[in-house]
Amino acid sequence: MIIDTHCHLDSILSVANKKPVWQLKEEDLLEVSSVIRRAQDVGVGVIFDVGCDVLECYNKLFLSQKFENVFAILGLHPTTCNQSWQPELAELKKMIANRSNKSKLIGIGEIGLDFYHKPFDEQKQTDAFVAQIELAISLN
């Protein structure tokens, strides 16, 4: 079995435009269903869907509940760690604590340091990275 360890399923939704996927109609999610089915046809049995900001993380949890072979990885990408990263991290922690199916969240990511995309704030990225590592450790 093949595992896709890094995917962004909500990014293929042409109708989403940064809307919460749970607000979409069932027919709007056909694009995701089609991609998952085609992946399964070529041997991809499990998909890890990775969040980069709070909205995407909510989307990942929703899609992981909707599709049996999709699992969520939640985090704040370094390029999204701006002035408001601490409230976003607090929201992420609340989201994790309140999720309905604990087994569908399998990791904390997409986190790290990104000094390529300018402008960036190295200290904010470092602080957010350390905080998310601590979150991951606390969740084992």
Side-chain angles (χ1 to χ4, degrees):
M1 172 179 42
I2 299 170
I3 299 173
D4 180 340
T5 62
H6 189 120
C7 141
H8 299 275
L9 287 172
D10 55 340
S11 69
I12 65 171
L13 292 168
S14 57
V15 297
N17 264 346
K18 286 293 188 180
K19 290 182 188 173
V21 294
W22 61 88
Q23 292 179 353
L24 300 176
K25 297 175 186 151
E26 192 65 33
E27 60 265 20
D28 294 334
L29 294 175
L30 291 177
E31 293 172 272
V32 172
S33 297
S34 175
V35 166
I36 292 171
R37 190 171 37 262
R38 289 194 322 263
Q40 288 173 319
D41 289 347
V42 295
V44 178
V46 175
I47 297 173
F48 296 169
D49 200 12
V50 183
C52 293
D53 60 32
V54 170
L55 175 59
E56 282 187 15
C57 289
Y58 277 113
N59 287 346
K60 305 313 173 179
L61 284 178
F62 176 83
L63 292 172
S64 72
Q65 296 302 307
K66 183 137 188 72
F67 299 100
E68 183 180 344
N69 64 330
V70 174
F71 294 84
I73 298 176
L74 311 180
L76 304 175
H77 188 277
T79 59
T80 67
C81 293
N82 54 29
Q83 301 289 28
S84 66
W85 74 266
Q86 286 118 334
E88 290 176 357
L89 182 63
E91 180 69 18
L92 187 66
K93 288 178 179 179
K94 186 171 85 174
M95 180 189 319
I96 291 168
N98 294 334
R99 69 194 187 280
S100 61
N101 184 341
K102 297 178 185 344
S103 65
K104 296 294 284 206
L105 170 61
I106 59 164
I108 302 299
E110 174 162 349
I111 66 174
L113 302 172
D114 185 333
F115 303 139
Y116 177 77
H117 295 96
K118 295 178 180 160
F120 59 82
D121 185 317
E122 184 174 343
Q123 189 60 56
K124 281 186 183 62
Q125 284 191 24
T126 302
D127 293 344
F129 180 55
V130 169
Q132 290 179 92
I133 291 293
E134 290 170 348
L135 175 61
I137 291 169
S138 75
L139 295 170
N140 197 23

